[in-house]
Amino acid sequence: MNEKKCKVLAAEIRLETLRVIHSLGFGHVGGSIDLADLMAVLYGEVMRFDPKNPRWEDRDWLVLSKGHAGPVAYATFGLMGYYPMEDAYTLNQPHTRFPSHTDRKLTPGVDLTTGSLGQGVSTATGAALANRIDGRDNHVFCVIGDGEADEGQVWEAFHFAFAHKLDNIVYIIDNNGYQLDGSTRDILDHGDIAKKAESFGLYTQQINGHDVKAIYDAIQNAYARKGVPSCIVLNTVKGKGAIFAEPKCEHSSQPKEDVWAEALAAAEQALADIKNA
């Protein structure tokens, strides 16, 4: 893999995610921007896709079961050429193609509509089974929030995937330690979430979710493991790269305009620094 290329792309995704949410003035910064490194690896190094043909049948699928992270997907798809990046600066505004939660009928690049937590895990698992029945050799990547994993439906899907030996799905848990109402430990403690996923029979790895090389290697390991579904637990910092969200691990943010300006300038500088490193 080209590690520097991935790091640059991740910084670009962070910046554009901020710009997308800034166009509305508020939104789910924390749980969107902490996925920038993952999205850079998926779309910069791993996934098969065609921006000119978003419904290409042999593409790899991305399902953001934590659908409120839509802005990071919109930033990534714009950078990949699915549409002009500026189109996404209409986030959640009237008649937009970019709602706050992902919708496959509106946004090119979105494979499944999500937002009702837990349900995207089930539909992604169904897509993996359908693709296998159709004889396709593609993969489905399903991103799950650690707070979302409070939903029993998540674990039922893991059970189903194991029983059907779906080695063409990779579940990715964004383990940032926070959800809407506070710390996941305080609200519904999962204990060792990686061990719990492994106990369902999934080939499970736990890594630094901001290390692009570790993410890439974990995906390659998942590809190599046959006969069982995979789970990658990403240890992330909620709000990573947003100066107003990262220190507080904010779920949702509505900073004043001067704070937005400072955050955007910091993200622009971070991108320049990585390019020049």
Side-chain angles (χ1 to χ4, degrees), residues 248-276:
K248 297 181 284 184
C249 297
E250 285 184 338
H251 181 77
S252 188
S253 303
Q254 190 172 0
K256 294 181 179 180
E257 186 57 36
D258 61 328
V259 179
W260 269 117
E262 186 180 357
L264 289 165
E268 290 169 355
Q269 185 61 55
L271 172 59
D273 290 345
I274 291 170
K275 285 182 174 179
N276 295 327

mmCIF file of all heavy atoms in Angstrom, residues 248-276:
data_model
loop_
_atom_site.group_PDB
_atom_site.id
_atom_site.type_symbol
_atom_site.label_atom_id
_atom_site.label_comp_id
_atom_site.label_asym_id
_atom_site.label_seq_id
_atom_site.Cartn_x
_atom_site.Cartn_y
_atom_site.Cartn_z
ATOM 1 N N LYS A 248 -13.674 16.807 23.657
ATOM 2 C CA LYS A 248 -14.866 16.445 24.442
ATOM 3 C C LYS A 248 -15.524 15.165 23.943
ATOM 4 O O LYS A 248 -16.529 14.740 24.501
ATOM 5 C CB LYS A 248 -15.869 17.597 24.394
ATOM 6 C CG LYS A 248 -15.373 18.888 25.027
ATOM 7 C CD LYS A 248 -16.405 19.994 24.985
ATOM 8 C CE LYS A 248 -16.535 20.597 23.602
ATOM 9 N NZ LYS A 248 -17.477 21.745 23.578
ATOM 10 N N CYS A 249 -14.962 14.547 22.882
ATOM 11 C CA CYS A 249 -15.549 13.339 22.285
ATOM 12 C C CYS A 249 -17.034 13.561 21.981
ATOM 13 O O CYS A 249 -17.884 12.708 22.270
ATOM 14 C CB CYS A 249 -15.361 12.136 23.201
ATOM 15 S SG CYS A 249 -13.639 11.692 23.472
ATOM 16 N N GLU A 250 -17.337 14.703 21.376
ATOM 17 C CA GLU A 250 -18.727 15.087 21.141
ATOM 18 C C GLU A 250 -19.420 14.177 20.138
ATOM 19 O O GLU A 250 -18.850 13.823 19.106
ATOM 20 C CB GLU A 250 -18.803 16.525 20.617
ATOM 21 C CG GLU A 250 -18.569 17.570 21.678
ATOM 22 C CD GLU A 250 -18.747 18.980 21.134
ATOM 23 O OE1 GLU A 250 -18.641 19.184 19.904
ATOM 24 O OE2 GLU A 250 -18.979 19.879 21.943
ATOM 25 N N HIS A 251 -20.665 13.855 20.429
ATOM 26 C CA HIS A 251 -21.489 13.093 19.494
ATOM 27 C C HIS A 251 -22.028 14.017 18.401
ATOM 28 O O HIS A 251 -22.007 13.685 17.221
ATOM 29 C CB HIS A 251 -22.652 12.434 20.231
ATOM 30 C CG HIS A 251 -23.537 11.602 19.350
ATOM 31 N ND1 HIS A 251 -23.179 10.346 18.909
ATOM 32 C CD2 HIS A 251 -24.760 11.858 18.813
ATOM 33 C CE1 HIS A 251 -24.139 9.860 18.139
ATOM 34 N NE2 HIS A 251 -25.106 10.753 18.069
ATOM 35 N N SER A 252 -22.514 15.165 18.808
ATOM 36 C CA SER A 252 -23.043 16.150 17.872
ATOM 37 C C SER A 252 -22.504 17.517 18.267
ATOM 38 O O SER A 252 -22.296 17.785 19.452
ATOM 39 C CB SER A 252 -24.577 16.147 17.892
ATOM 40 O OG SER A 252 -25.090 16.972 16.867
ATOM 41 N N SER A 253 -22.274 18.381 17.277
ATOM 42 C CA SER A 253 -21.634 19.667 17.542
ATOM 43 C C SER A 253 -22.370 20.797 16.846
ATOM 44 O O SER A 253 -22.892 20.626 15.735
ATOM 45 C CB SER A 253 -20.179 19.663 17.048
ATOM 46 O OG SER A 253 -19.437 18.612 17.631
ATOM 47 N N GLN A 254 -22.395 21.950 17.506
ATOM 48 C CA GLN A 254 -22.952 23.159 16.900
ATOM 49 C C GLN A 254 -22.110 24.358 17.335
ATOM 50 O O GLN A 254 -22.578 25.229 18.058
ATOM 51 C CB GLN A 254 -24.421 23.345 17.303
ATOM 52 C CG GLN A 254 -25.124 24.438 16.513
ATOM 53 C CD GLN A 254 -26.620 24.475 16.783
ATOM 54 O OE1 GLN A 254 -27.143 23.688 17.561
ATOM 55 N NE2 GLN A 254 -27.316 25.386 16.126
ATOM 56 N N PRO A 255 -20.864 24.408 16.877
ATOM 57 C CA PRO A 255 -19.985 25.496 17.298
ATOM 58 C C PRO A 255 -20.360 26.826 16.643
ATOM 59 O O PRO A 255 -21.036 26.856 15.604
ATOM 60 C CB PRO A 255 -18.610 25.028 16.836
ATOM 61 C CG PRO A 255 -18.887 24.139 15.676
ATOM 62 C CD PRO A 255 -20.193 23.461 15.974
ATOM 63 N N LYS A 256 -19.878 27.900 17.240
ATOM 64 C CA LYS A 256 -20.074 29.217 16.649
ATOM 65 C C LYS A 256 -19.166 29.362 15.415
ATOM 66 O O LYS A 256 -18.213 28.623 15.236
ATOM 67 C CB LYS A 256 -19.783 30.308 17.674
ATOM 68 C CG LYS A 256 -20.777 30.318 18.831
ATOM 69 C CD LYS A 256 -20.465 31.424 19.818
ATOM 70 C CE LYS A 256 -21.478 31.443 20.959
ATOM 71 N NZ LYS A 256 -21.186 32.517 21.947
ATOM 72 N N GLU A 257 -19.487 30.358 14.593
ATOM 73 C CA GLU A 257 -18.787 30.496 13.310
ATOM 74 C C GLU A 257 -17.294 30.720 13.478
ATOM 75 O O GLU A 257 -16.491 30.206 12.690
ATOM 76 C CB GLU A 257 -19.410 31.637 12.503
ATOM 77 C CG GLU A 257 -18.843 31.779 11.093
ATOM 78 C CD GLU A 257 -18.972 30.498 10.264
ATOM 79 O OE1 GLU A 257 -19.987 29.782 10.405
ATOM 80 O OE2 GLU A 257 -18.045 30.223 9.466
ATOM 81 N N ASP A 258 -16.885 31.454 14.510
ATOM 82 C CA ASP A 258 -15.449 31.675 14.680
ATOM 83 C C ASP A 258 -14.721 30.378 15.044
ATOM 84 O O ASP A 258 -13.568 30.170 14.648
ATOM 85 C CB ASP A 258 -15.188 32.752 15.738
ATOM 86 C CG ASP A 258 -15.728 32.389 17.115
ATOM 87 O OD1 ASP A 258 -16.749 31.690 17.193
ATOM 88 O OD2 ASP A 258 -15.118 32.808 18.121
ATOM 89 N N VAL A 259 -15.412 29.484 15.755
ATOM 90 C CA VAL A 259 -14.824 28.184 16.086
ATOM 91 C C VAL A 259 -14.747 27.303 14.841
ATOM 92 O O VAL A 259 -13.763 26.588 14.626
ATOM 93 C CB VAL A 259 -15.619 27.499 17.210
ATOM 94 C CG1 VAL A 259 -15.028 26.136 17.539
ATOM 95 C CG2 VAL A 259 -15.647 28.382 18.450
ATOM 96 N N TRP A 260 -15.798 27.371 14.025
ATOM 97 C CA TRP A 260 -15.759 26.653 12.752
ATOM 98 C C TRP A 260 -14.547 27.113 11.921
ATOM 99 O O TRP A 260 -13.821 26.287 11.355
ATOM 100 C CB TRP A 260 -17.028 26.906 11.947
ATOM 101 C CG TRP A 260 -18.136 25.936 12.166
ATOM 102 C CD1 TRP A 260 -19.373 26.185 12.675
ATOM 103 C CD2 TRP A 260 -18.125 24.532 11.855
ATOM 104 N NE1 TRP A 260 -20.130 25.037 12.714
ATOM 105 C CE2 TRP A 260 -19.392 24.015 12.212
ATOM 106 C CE3 TRP A 260 -17.172 23.665 11.314
ATOM 107 C CZ2 TRP A 260 -19.716 22.660 12.045
ATOM 108 C CZ3 TRP A 260 -17.488 22.331 11.147
ATOM 109 C CH2 TRP A 260 -18.750 21.840 11.511
ATOM 110 N N ALA A 261 -14.361 28.419 11.822
ATOM 111 C CA ALA A 261 -13.252 28.957 11.019
ATOM 112 C C ALA A 261 -11.907 28.444 11.541
ATOM 113 O O ALA A 261 -11.019 28.068 10.755
ATOM 114 C CB ALA A 261 -13.287 30.484 11.044
ATOM 115 N N GLU A 262 -11.763 28.409 12.861
ATOM 116 C CA GLU A 262 -10.521 27.918 13.462
ATOM 117 C C GLU A 262 -10.321 26.432 13.166
ATOM 118 O O GLU A 262 -9.212 25.981 12.855
ATOM 119 C CB GLU A 262 -10.560 28.162 14.966
ATOM 120 C CG GLU A 262 -9.267 27.820 15.672
ATOM 121 C CD GLU A 262 -9.341 28.079 17.166
ATOM 122 O OE1 GLU A 262 -10.374 28.586 17.645
ATOM 123 O OE2 GLU A 262 -8.359 27.747 17.851
ATOM 124 N N ALA A 263 -11.407 25.662 13.247
ATOM 125 C CA ALA A 263 -11.319 24.216 13.002
ATOM 126 C C ALA A 263 -10.983 23.915 11.549
ATOM 127 O O ALA A 263 -10.176 23.014 11.255
ATOM 128 C CB ALA A 263 -12.632 23.549 13.386
ATOM 129 N N LEU A 264 -11.594 24.651 10.641
ATOM 130 C CA LEU A 264 -11.306 24.446 9.219
ATOM 131 C C LEU A 264 -9.865 24.825 8.895
ATOM 132 O O LEU A 264 -9.184 24.125 8.147
ATOM 133 C CB LEU A 264 -12.288 25.254 8.373
ATOM 134 C CG LEU A 264 -13.730 24.732 8.362
ATOM 135 C CD1 LEU A 264 -14.684 25.789 7.799
ATOM 136 C CD2 LEU A 264 -13.830 23.444 7.537
ATOM 137 N N ALA A 265 -9.405 25.903 9.478
ATOM 138 C CA ALA A 265 -8.009 26.313 9.251
ATOM 139 C C ALA A 265 -7.045 25.260 9.803
ATOM 140 O O ALA A 265 -6.023 24.950 9.176
ATOM 141 C CB ALA A 265 -7.752 27.663 9.910
ATOM 142 N N ALA A 266 -7.364 24.688 10.947
ATOM 143 C CA ALA A 266 -6.511 23.651 11.538
ATOM 144 C C ALA A 266 -6.486 22.407 10.661
ATOM 145 O O ALA A 266 -5.432 21.780 10.483
ATOM 146 C CB ALA A 266 -7.003 23.310 12.937
ATOM 147 N N ALA A 267 -7.637 22.041 10.095
ATOM 148 C CA ALA A 267 -7.698 20.868 9.213
ATOM 149 C C ALA A 267 -6.939 21.118 7.916
ATOM 150 O O ALA A 267 -6.285 20.213 7.381
ATOM 151 C CB ALA A 267 -9.153 20.508 8.924
ATOM 152 N N GLU A 268 -7.013 22.337 7.415
ATOM 153 C CA GLU A 268 -6.250 22.693 6.216
ATOM 154 C C GLU A 268 -4.747 22.620 6.487
ATOM 155 O O GLU A 268 -3.974 22.123 5.656
ATOM 156 C CB GLU A 268 -6.645 24.093 5.745
ATOM 157 C CG GLU A 268 -8.055 24.176 5.162
ATOM 158 C CD GLU A 268 -8.516 25.603 4.949
ATOM 159 O OE1 GLU A 268 -7.774 26.539 5.341
ATOM 160 O OE2 GLU A 268 -9.620 25.786 4.402
ATOM 161 N N GLN A 269 -4.346 23.077 7.669
ATOM 162 C CA GLN A 269 -2.935 23.031 8.030
ATOM 163 C C GLN A 269 -2.467 21.593 8.220
ATOM 164 O O GLN A 269 -1.360 21.222 7.805
ATOM 165 C CB GLN A 269 -2.689 23.828 9.309
ATOM 166 C CG GLN A 269 -1.228 23.931 9.699
ATOM 167 C CD GLN A 269 -0.396 24.628 8.644
ATOM 168 O OE1 GLN A 269 -0.705 25.744 8.237
ATOM 169 N NE2 GLN A 269 0.667 23.967 8.178
ATOM 170 N N ALA A 270 -3.323 20.771 8.818
ATOM 171 C CA ALA A 270 -2.980 19.361 9.001
ATOM 172 C C ALA A 270 -2.770 18.668 7.661
ATOM 173 O O ALA A 270 -1.837 17.863 7.503
ATOM 174 C CB ALA A 270 -4.072 18.645 9.799
ATOM 175 N N LEU A 271 -3.608 18.994 6.698
ATOM 176 C CA LEU A 271 -3.450 18.430 5.349
ATOM 177 C C LEU A 271 -2.131 18.891 4.725
ATOM 178 O O LEU A 271 -1.388 18.065 4.147
ATOM 179 C CB LEU A 271 -4.630 18.835 4.477
ATOM 180 C CG LEU A 271 -4.541 18.486 2.991
ATOM 181 C CD1 LEU A 271 -4.386 16.984 2.784
ATOM 182 C CD2 LEU A 271 -5.796 19.001 2.252
ATOM 183 N N ALA A 272 -1.834 20.165 4.838
ATOM 184 C CA ALA A 272 -0.575 20.686 4.279
ATOM 185 C C ALA A 272 0.628 20.032 4.934
ATOM 186 O O ALA A 272 1.607 19.689 4.266
ATOM 187 C CB ALA A 272 -0.521 22.208 4.443
ATOM 188 N N ASP A 273 0.561 19.853 6.249
ATOM 189 C CA ASP A 273 1.682 19.241 6.964
ATOM 190 C C ASP A 273 1.941 17.797 6.497
ATOM 191 O O ASP A 273 3.088 17.374 6.349
ATOM 192 C CB ASP A 273 1.409 19.237 8.469
ATOM 193 C CG ASP A 273 1.455 20.639 9.073
ATOM 194 O OD1 ASP A 273 1.973 21.567 8.401
ATOM 195 O OD2 ASP A 273 0.960 20.808 10.204
ATOM 196 N N ILE A 274 0.848 17.058 6.285
ATOM 197 C CA ILE A 274 1.002 15.665 5.848
ATOM 198 C C ILE A 274 1.552 15.602 4.419
ATOM 199 O O ILE A 274 2.403 14.771 4.100
ATOM 200 C CB ILE A 274 -0.348 14.928 5.966
ATOM 201 C CG1 ILE A 274 -0.708 14.747 7.432
ATOM 202 C CG2 ILE A 274 -0.298 13.568 5.258
ATOM 203 C CD1 ILE A 274 -2.108 14.249 7.675
ATOM 204 N N LYS A 275 1.089 16.486 3.576
ATOM 205 C CA LYS A 275 1.596 16.534 2.203
ATOM 206 C C LYS A 275 3.093 16.848 2.172
ATOM 207 O O LYS A 275 3.835 16.326 1.332
ATOM 208 C CB LYS A 275 0.827 17.573 1.386
ATOM 209 C CG LYS A 275 -0.563 17.161 0.964
ATOM 210 C CD LYS A 275 -1.206 18.245 0.112
ATOM 211 C CE LYS A 275 -2.541 17.799 -0.435
ATOM 212 N NZ LYS A 275 -3.209 18.863 -1.249
ATOM 213 N N ASN A 276 3.523 17.687 3.089
ATOM 214 C CA ASN A 276 4.913 18.130 3.095
ATOM 215 C C ASN A 276 5.836 17.265 3.951
ATOM 216 O O ASN A 276 7.057 17.504 3.988
ATOM 217 C CB ASN A 276 4.999 19.588 3.598
ATOM 218 C CG ASN A 276 4.300 20.547 2.653
ATOM 219 O OD1 ASN A 276 4.286 20.342 1.441
ATOM 220 N ND2 ASN A 276 3.698 21.596 3.211
#
